[in-house]
Amino acid sequence: MNRFGTRFSVTTFGESHGQAIGCVVDGVPAGLEIDESYIQNELDKRKPGTTKFATQRKESDKVQILSGVFNGVSTGAPIALAIFNENQKSNDYENIKSLFRPAHADFTYFKKYGIRDYRGGGRSSARETAARVAAGAIAKKLLEKFGIKVKSGIFAIGGVEALDVDFEYAPISEIFALDKTKEEAQKEAVLRAKEAGDSVGGCVFVKISNAPFGLGEPLYDKLDAALGGALMGINGVKAVEIGEGVNASKLRGSQNNDQMDEKGFLSNHAGGILGGISTGMDIDLKIHFKPTPSIFIEQQTQNEQNESVKFSLKGRHDPCIAIRGSVVANAMASLVIADMLLLNAACTLENLKKIYSKQ
Amino acid sequence: MNRFGTRFSVTTFGESHGQAIGCVVDGVPAGLEIDESYIQNELDKRKPGTTKFATQRKESDKVQILSGVFNGVSTGAPIALAIFNENQKSNDYENIKSLFRPAHADFTYFKKYGIRDYRGGGRSSARETAARVAAGAIAKKLLEKFGIKVKSGIFAIGGVEALDVDFEYAPISEIFALDKTKEEAQKEAVLRAKEAGDSVGGCVFVKISNAPFGLGEPLYDKLDAALGGALMGINGVKAVEIGEGVNASKLRGSQNNDQMDEKGFLSNHAGGILGGISTGMDIDLKIHFKPTPSIFIEQQTQNEQNESVKFSLKGRHDPCIAIRGSVVANAMASLVIADMLLLNAACTLENLKKIYSKQ
Amino acid sequence: MNRFGTRFSVTTFGESHGQAIGCVVDGVPAGLEIDESYIQNELDKRKPGTTKFATQRKESDKVQILSGVFNGVSTGAPIALAIFNENQKSNDYENIKSLFRPAHADFTYFKKYGIRDYRGGGRSSARETAARVAAGAIAKKLLEKFGIKVKSGIFAIGGVEALDVDFEYAPISEIFALDKTKEEAQKEAVLRAKEAGDSVGGCVFVKISNAPFGLGEPLYDKLDAALGGALMGINGVKAVEIGEGVNASKLRGSQNNDQMDEKGFLSNHAGGILGGISTGMDIDLKIHFKPTPSIFIEQQTQNEQNESVKFSLKGRHDPCIAIRGSVVANAMASLVIADMLLLNAACTLENLKKIYSKQ
Amino acid sequence: MNRFGTRFSVTTFGESHGQAIGCVVDGVPAGLEIDESYIQNELDKRKPGTTKFATQRKESDKVQILSGVFNGVSTGAPIALAIFNENQKSNDYENIKSLFRPAHADFTYFKKYGIRDYRGGGRSSARETAARVAAGAIAKKLLEKFGIKVKSGIFAIGGVEALDVDFEYAPISEIFALDKTKEEAQKEAVLRAKEAGDSVGGCVFVKISNAPFGLGEPLYDKLDAALGGALMGINGVKAVEIGEGVNASKLRGSQNNDQMDEKGFLSNHAGGILGGISTGMDIDLKIHFKPTPSIFIEQQTQNEQNESVKFSLKGRHDPCIAIRGSVVANAMASLVIADMLLLNAACTLENLKKIYSKQ
């Protein structure tokens, strides 16, 4: 249940204010160069505290490789990664320890398990996504070997949508904006919400380029099903679209079908996936994040004794989780593609012959 | 890969024009009354050939229970269901056997496997969804025992959206319309497309009522991730929304958060899921289907020899797959909930004590 | 739970006296020639009613391929196999329907599920092993492509052990005897037991030759663990040995270690597996079957009302399940090796490059 | 692949001479008291360096709980355990870094992965079993709540077998001997081998008492299959027996069948399992370990350049791995039973009603 993926799999652990968070990445093919600095670099992209558009909380998030890498190369053994927590201010949570913050998982964890780690949301905290990003870094390293690129950025914030997308611009934008001409309006949407003690939702665009065709294992590990599940499982995601997405439901077949000529597809409404298998075209995904549930405006809720209570949150919170969510979505998409790359390897007798012929 | 679910699992098999399609449903708790007529009844909902809004192809789709039921009751053994195919007109496919129909899986199956069953799409045919519906019927039977209802219907066709939804009306509408006042306009959208030799997309709404809280296994079998993956994996689905869905990305936290009083939630923007676990409120899902890829208008495509060719489809096809898709989405959602019901059973020591105390 | 294997997987279904038994074989690489006669041939090896050393029950056991094969070749889709039951004499079981036959699964199924299909043991019947053998035939077909041979035969019956083993002789022996010089004594052990209304245990030897090195996924899908689990799960198996087996616990390291020279191993005490990975040497397995629990001597047991009762079995039963068990063990070993062949394919970056370089 | 178990699952990581070894235990029901000292206590049983019958290597093996426990109680979140390595003398392995120690996994890891961590066997080292024992401690804690006991000890060493077994004596014996009258002879077998620079094999007996009936998920997660696989996967195990084990293959049905009266079974040749499901009787397992492959006598082997070489091992090694293996086998059996306890929870409608009736 805390494991993701079939062949390239990740098992994560850790709570927001526990001793450490981390993961075990299993199934990494032997022979891949892996070093901590590369993983750290990915982690730093989601690190809070660097701009006014993210929480001011300081987390150094230093990753350690505990196993599975020998002389800088993966050995085929499981790779354990750990990030030890620092300066957890558990006291911040004393005033909310017995009440359920609206739109958080406090209520559901308590009802399911009969016990909850109230400190910063415990296991349900978005802090856990650091483990996903660390694991995703290893997946990206593998994909690079095959020329596959996974890019992401902010498509919209509070309804302010990009008109055009530029994945080269996103990495240098403070909010990972994909459209420079909309960046200011998007930033303003964040800051206006923040000033009001409120938060705002946003939409992330992930593009996977140069994926080989054949990825996706029909019928129940289809590529779109796997991506859909992986992305919908990120904290705060409420909708996932592939290719034309929601719009496909409004079109006619003659508009939505991607015709072909001798060179290949003439359009990409499908978003790179047909029948759950990659077509070789770009895989285009839109991921919609709800606004951060943590807001400073007074709210009404229930406590563990079923009483109605009013309260105001304290502390430091992201005004728009979609921004850092862009890094997490990128990692999850990378993990799915890496898994599919491995799963597809044995799908034909022809492939097996390539591997076993030499012995 | 052709298996869905963890504890309440379904393994499906079969091609459009093969000998049979079917499934093995594993993990069904012993002691559940199951009879063929109940399963047949669910299957009949997706049966083609009954209205002008669906394909005129005749498939009697008679299901047989091959195992796992003794004296009308499940025994805990796997339940195999088979639907033998009749009157497969493979000849219909002679003219397209070496070309890739646009927006179909012909191209990707051929590239992945190096071979494809071109008759009606083979494994990638929507015909396989009959197996899902049959399995879903068993799941629904289990859910009924706990008062859980899974309802579905057409929310929109070609952009014509319901203003209000009435899940009691859908079963008596020829197109499973949820809004009687929009039904005519939605039917017209289908018929206009059909007359033009074209097809049209649509949106299905699934509502799960009376689910207990606690369903969903964080962090990688979250209820929303499981539903998202299951629904995105249905043929032709390009987007899935939960609760506010896409709209959540446009809202502020103060608008989207569901506050509570002593009786419970005051709203349900979350769509019944927080932190990947059911809240006890209705679980609301929107599933967006692309238009049927099979259209009669001439199209351009590639053949297996990489040549550009023009062609026109023949035969009988659904003008709007969302309509029958509504039954399939219902089945998939039912399977997810049944699985989660079983998975959740062992999540606390308290629960285990209820089971093992008597022995 | 009714699924075996990870990548080359089999889901079985069916009861002794139900409508059909069968399986869905998933993960078969596309491009493998498969025909019913080949599968039938394997099935016929375990068919009862042909000699006085097996039950005289007649089961024609005709297998049908329901899916996954097109023009005689696997397509990558799941392959469903069904064997419809004939002439089930359920009446034979009226006298035992409410009592628990000693050493059968009657008691445990009833206690676990609260219901049981008493007709011939229902799901727990050895008849289910026909589905394993059918699936194993496909696995063997795959292994043949890589020169891997899985051979089996009777090593001992009732303590009468082979002194030498000849896997070429076994197929032509009525009892699959591996040692022609011991065959008569082994046959006599069976017949003496049979004449006394009793049964006798036996030991099967399985040898896997020409397996490539590298098979086995440490640490929890080790080749020996997978084989051990698969073989111990066959009806009536009470012990599994690999290489030196039980004897290894009596040896010293200097006796048991397999030394090497420049050409390879100088001995094979390990039975072809080190660290859970194949060494390239023969994989040697001994599987110990208990005597058939069905005997004609009067026995004492409990009934469903917890009363002590005496009874005598009627009908036709194998006097020694190890004989037909030899075919089943062969199939299970083949399935494990096929699965490992697929799993190993993606274990190094080097292997992945062989597959994805061409695209 | 580095994950064991289905619902109560363990993912392990770490190499002999890496930074840390550890595991993530997932699926632990919420509400179980867990503390480090209890886990440490189990670990200390397998700790080397305490007697002359085990290696003199010092490993303090201090376990840390990194997640999943809050206020001393499990929360339902994954429990990560880590043991950081100390004083790894990698230099000890310089002389063997390019050769394959006989009966070790050096050869197979190198052939499979193309790279190996030669320091102490890396991932294939028995040191990894510390993670199994730590995870097993949590499983045992759960089993205790239901009165289930898992006991183990040494049955035989070098062929010197116990005549009688006393599981109360084993914990106070330096070699975990089950038969006090044979202890001296068994110790002598170890010391004689040790003095000769050699090693010796042994047999462990595990007894699981008071298991409820119903454990085991037929047909491919049968209790005997699961135990067989789990135990065969322990480093150095070459045979596993259940109940009568090997001897069952020599008996007649009338000798081996366990008859019943109104109070229950009159004997237990089955070893507590029928049809893959627990009968409520003691579950009896014998696990045969090969002699330690590390011996000091000069041996011949191959190096990575395929040359024949002679060498002598240095360092400190267990003269008989069965002794500490007794603790590991106990842990693995405990993990299997815990998993089955969870899996069985949802097997009947009756059980589900007990859980969901109250909501």
Side-chain angles (χ1 to χ4, degrees), chain A residues 249-265:
Chain A
S249 72
K250 298 171 186 164
L251 298 179
R252 286 198 171 183
S254 57
Q255 297 169 305
N256 186 64
N257 285 1
D258 299 311
Q259 300 194 39
M260 303 180 82
D261 66 11
E262 66 285 354
K263 290 183 199 141
F265 291 98

PDB file of all heavy atoms in Angstrom, chain A residues 249-265:
ATOM      1  N   SER A 249     -14.545  15.300 -24.783  1.00  0.00           N
ATOM      2  CA  SER A 249     -15.944  14.898 -24.604  1.00  0.00           C
ATOM      3  C   SER A 249     -16.897  15.843 -25.335  1.00  0.00           C
ATOM      4  O   SER A 249     -18.097  15.596 -25.394  1.00  0.00           O
ATOM      5  CB  SER A 249     -16.297  14.835 -23.122  1.00  0.00           C
ATOM      6  OG  SER A 249     -16.389  16.124 -22.574  1.00  0.00           O
ATOM      7  N   LYS A 250     -16.347  16.944 -25.862  1.00  0.00           N
ATOM      8  CA  LYS A 250     -17.184  17.928 -26.566  1.00  0.00           C
ATOM      9  C   LYS A 250     -17.003  17.844 -28.074  1.00  0.00           C
ATOM     10  O   LYS A 250     -17.722  18.505 -28.827  1.00  0.00           O
ATOM     11  CB  LYS A 250     -16.832  19.329 -26.074  1.00  0.00           C
ATOM     12  CG  LYS A 250     -17.100  19.520 -24.594  1.00  0.00           C
ATOM     13  CD  LYS A 250     -16.560  20.841 -24.061  1.00  0.00           C
ATOM     14  CE  LYS A 250     -16.737  20.876 -22.536  1.00  0.00           C
ATOM     15  NZ  LYS A 250     -15.913  21.915 -21.898  1.00  0.00           N
ATOM     16  N   LEU A 251     -16.019  17.079 -28.499  1.00  0.00           N
ATOM     17  CA  LEU A 251     -15.669  17.052 -29.927  1.00  0.00           C
ATOM     18  C   LEU A 251     -16.387  15.932 -30.673  1.00  0.00           C
ATOM     19  O   LEU A 251     -16.961  15.029 -30.087  1.00  0.00           O
ATOM     20  CB  LEU A 251     -14.154  16.853 -30.080  1.00  0.00           C
ATOM     21  CG  LEU A 251     -13.247  17.935 -29.503  1.00  0.00           C
ATOM     22  CD1 LEU A 251     -11.787  17.565 -29.729  1.00  0.00           C
ATOM     23  CD2 LEU A 251     -13.553  19.302 -30.129  1.00  0.00           C
ATOM     24  N   ARG A 252     -16.301  16.043 -31.996  1.00  0.00           N
ATOM     25  CA  ARG A 252     -16.730  14.953 -32.865  1.00  0.00           C
ATOM     26  C   ARG A 252     -15.518  14.100 -33.239  1.00  0.00           C
ATOM     27  O   ARG A 252     -14.375  14.576 -33.197  1.00  0.00           O
ATOM     28  CB  ARG A 252     -17.356  15.517 -34.133  1.00  0.00           C
ATOM     29  CG  ARG A 252     -18.747  16.087 -33.856  1.00  0.00           C
ATOM     30  CD  ARG A 252     -19.503  16.224 -35.130  1.00  0.00           C
ATOM     31  NE  ARG A 252     -20.888  16.563 -34.903  1.00  0.00           N
ATOM     32  CZ  ARG A 252     -21.775  16.677 -35.880  1.00  0.00           C
ATOM     33  NH1 ARG A 252     -21.388  16.471 -37.155  1.00  0.00           N
ATOM     34  NH2 ARG A 252     -23.019  16.986 -35.628  1.00  0.00           N
ATOM     35  N   GLY A 253     -15.775  12.881 -33.647  1.00  0.00           N
ATOM     36  CA  GLY A 253     -14.695  11.979 -34.039  1.00  0.00           C
ATOM     37  C   GLY A 253     -13.825  12.565 -35.137  1.00  0.00           C
ATOM     38  O   GLY A 253     -12.594  12.444 -35.104  1.00  0.00           O
ATOM     39  N   SER A 254     -14.458  13.230 -36.076  1.00  0.00           N
ATOM     40  CA  SER A 254     -13.690  13.790 -37.191  1.00  0.00           C
ATOM     41  C   SER A 254     -12.744  14.899 -36.725  1.00  0.00           C
ATOM     42  O   SER A 254     -11.760  15.208 -37.395  1.00  0.00           O
ATOM     43  CB  SER A 254     -14.638  14.311 -38.267  1.00  0.00           C
ATOM     44  OG  SER A 254     -15.524  15.269 -37.701  1.00  0.00           O
ATOM     45  N   GLN A 255     -13.050  15.497 -35.585  1.00  0.00           N
ATOM     46  CA  GLN A 255     -12.167  16.536 -35.044  1.00  0.00           C
ATOM     47  C   GLN A 255     -11.073  15.948 -34.155  1.00  0.00           C
ATOM     48  O   GLN A 255      -9.970  16.468 -34.069  1.00  0.00           O
ATOM     49  CB  GLN A 255     -12.980  17.513 -34.182  1.00  0.00           C
ATOM     50  CG  GLN A 255     -14.041  18.285 -34.947  1.00  0.00           C
ATOM     51  CD  GLN A 255     -14.978  19.034 -34.009  1.00  0.00           C
ATOM     52  OE1 GLN A 255     -15.580  18.431 -33.120  1.00  0.00           O
ATOM     53  NE2 GLN A 255     -15.097  20.338 -34.207  1.00  0.00           N
ATOM     54  N   ASN A 256     -11.433  14.885 -33.451  1.00  0.00           N
ATOM     55  CA  ASN A 256     -10.540  14.352 -32.420  1.00  0.00           C
ATOM     56  C   ASN A 256      -9.592  13.271 -32.933  1.00  0.00           C
ATOM     57  O   ASN A 256      -8.504  13.073 -32.384  1.00  0.00           O
ATOM     58  CB  ASN A 256     -11.383  13.785 -31.265  1.00  0.00           C
ATOM     59  CG  ASN A 256     -10.539  13.356 -30.091  1.00  0.00           C
ATOM     60  OD1 ASN A 256      -9.885  14.182 -29.457  1.00  0.00           O
ATOM     61  ND2 ASN A 256     -10.513  12.058 -29.826  1.00  0.00           N
ATOM     62  N   ASN A 257     -10.011  12.558 -33.975  1.00  0.00           N
ATOM     63  CA  ASN A 257      -9.145  11.490 -34.504  1.00  0.00           C
ATOM     64  C   ASN A 257      -7.837  12.064 -35.052  1.00  0.00           C
ATOM     65  O   ASN A 257      -7.860  13.085 -35.734  1.00  0.00           O
ATOM     66  CB  ASN A 257      -9.857  10.748 -35.644  1.00  0.00           C
ATOM     67  CG  ASN A 257     -10.946   9.805 -35.137  1.00  0.00           C
ATOM     68  OD1 ASN A 257     -11.185   9.710 -33.933  1.00  0.00           O
ATOM     69  ND2 ASN A 257     -11.596   9.102 -36.058  1.00  0.00           N
ATOM     70  N   ASP A 258      -6.755  11.390 -34.743  1.00  0.00           N
ATOM     71  CA  ASP A 258      -5.454  11.794 -35.301  1.00  0.00           C
ATOM     72  C   ASP A 258      -5.181  10.982 -36.556  1.00  0.00           C
ATOM     73  O   ASP A 258      -4.865   9.793 -36.475  1.00  0.00           O
ATOM     74  CB  ASP A 258      -4.342  11.553 -34.269  1.00  0.00           C
ATOM     75  CG  ASP A 258      -4.531  12.364 -32.998  1.00  0.00           C
ATOM     76  OD1 ASP A 258      -4.762  13.585 -33.109  1.00  0.00           O
ATOM     77  OD2 ASP A 258      -4.462  11.781 -31.903  1.00  0.00           O
ATOM     78  N   GLN A 259      -5.292  11.632 -37.695  1.00  0.00           N
ATOM     79  CA  GLN A 259      -5.024  10.938 -38.950  1.00  0.00           C
ATOM     80  C   GLN A 259      -3.508  10.795 -39.146  1.00  0.00           C
ATOM     81  O   GLN A 259      -2.715  11.372 -38.399  1.00  0.00           O
ATOM     82  CB  GLN A 259      -5.697  11.680 -40.110  1.00  0.00           C
ATOM     83  CG  GLN A 259      -7.218  11.747 -39.902  1.00  0.00           C
ATOM     84  CD  GLN A 259      -7.994  12.167 -41.135  1.00  0.00           C
ATOM     85  OE1 GLN A 259      -7.667  11.763 -42.258  1.00  0.00           O
ATOM     86  NE2 GLN A 259      -9.028  12.972 -40.936  1.00  0.00           N
ATOM     87  N   MET A 260      -3.122   9.986 -40.078  1.00  0.00           N
ATOM     88  CA  MET A 260      -1.698   9.707 -40.300  1.00  0.00           C
ATOM     89  C   MET A 260      -1.363   9.826 -41.779  1.00  0.00           C
ATOM     90  O   MET A 260      -2.235   9.638 -42.632  1.00  0.00           O
ATOM     91  CB  MET A 260      -1.367   8.266 -39.887  1.00  0.00           C
ATOM     92  CG  MET A 260      -1.690   7.914 -38.458  1.00  0.00           C
ATOM     93  SD  MET A 260      -1.234   6.165 -38.084  1.00  0.00           S
ATOM     94  CE  MET A 260       0.522   6.326 -37.754  1.00  0.00           C
ATOM     95  N   ASP A 261      -0.121  10.111 -42.065  1.00  0.00           N
ATOM     96  CA  ASP A 261       0.371   9.895 -43.420  1.00  0.00           C
ATOM     97  C   ASP A 261       1.575   8.959 -43.328  1.00  0.00           C
ATOM     98  O   ASP A 261       1.797   8.350 -42.267  1.00  0.00           O
ATOM     99  CB  ASP A 261       0.701  11.216 -44.142  1.00  0.00           C
ATOM    100  CG  ASP A 261       1.862  11.947 -43.518  1.00  0.00           C
ATOM    101  OD1 ASP A 261       2.563  11.368 -42.660  1.00  0.00           O
ATOM    102  OD2 ASP A 261       2.083  13.115 -43.886  1.00  0.00           O
ATOM    103  N   GLU A 262       2.336   8.846 -44.371  1.00  0.00           N
ATOM    104  CA  GLU A 262       3.410   7.851 -44.358  1.00  0.00           C
ATOM    105  C   GLU A 262       4.495   8.174 -43.326  1.00  0.00           C
ATOM    106  O   GLU A 262       5.251   7.296 -42.912  1.00  0.00           O
ATOM    107  CB  GLU A 262       4.022   7.698 -45.769  1.00  0.00           C
ATOM    108  CG  GLU A 262       4.765   8.888 -46.311  1.00  0.00           C
ATOM    109  CD  GLU A 262       3.848  10.028 -46.776  1.00  0.00           C
ATOM    110  OE1 GLU A 262       2.605   9.828 -46.767  1.00  0.00           O
ATOM    111  OE2 GLU A 262       4.352  11.114 -47.112  1.00  0.00           O
ATOM    112  N   LYS A 263       4.532   9.445 -42.886  1.00  0.00           N
ATOM    113  CA  LYS A 263       5.565   9.806 -41.895  1.00  0.00           C
ATOM    114  C   LYS A 263       5.089   9.627 -40.461  1.00  0.00           C
ATOM    115  O   LYS A 263       5.887   9.632 -39.539  1.00  0.00           O
ATOM    116  CB  LYS A 263       5.983  11.252 -42.111  1.00  0.00           C
ATOM    117  CG  LYS A 263       6.782  11.449 -43.394  1.00  0.00           C
ATOM    118  CD  LYS A 263       7.225  12.904 -43.517  1.00  0.00           C
ATOM    119  CE  LYS A 263       7.592  13.240 -44.937  1.00  0.00           C
ATOM    120  NZ  LYS A 263       7.145  14.578 -45.337  1.00  0.00           N
ATOM    121  N   GLY A 264       3.781   9.539 -40.283  1.00  0.00           N
ATOM    122  CA  GLY A 264       3.285   9.363 -38.929  1.00  0.00           C
ATOM    123  C   GLY A 264       2.037  10.177 -38.658  1.00  0.00           C
ATOM    124  O   GLY A 264       1.312  10.533 -39.589  1.00  0.00           O
ATOM    125  N   PHE A 265       1.811  10.476 -37.400  1.00  0.00           N
ATOM    126  CA  PHE A 265       0.587  11.173 -36.998  1.00  0.00           C
ATOM    127  C   PHE A 265       0.593  12.626 -37.460  1.00  0.00           C
ATOM    128  O   PHE A 265       1.620  13.306 -37.409  1.00  0.00           O
ATOM    129  CB  PHE A 265       0.417  11.122 -35.486  1.00  0.00           C
ATOM    130  CG  PHE A 265       0.115   9.742 -34.992  1.00  0.00           C
ATOM    131  CD1 PHE A 265       1.119   8.929 -34.478  1.00  0.00           C
ATOM    132  CD2 PHE A 265      -1.174   9.239 -35.052  1.00  0.00           C
ATOM    133  CE1 PHE A 265       0.843   7.647 -34.033  1.00  0.00           C
ATOM    134  CE2 PHE A 265      -1.457   7.949 -34.611  1.00  0.00           C
ATOM    135  CZ  PHE A 265      -0.450   7.149 -34.102  1.00  0.00           C
TER     136      PHE A 265
END
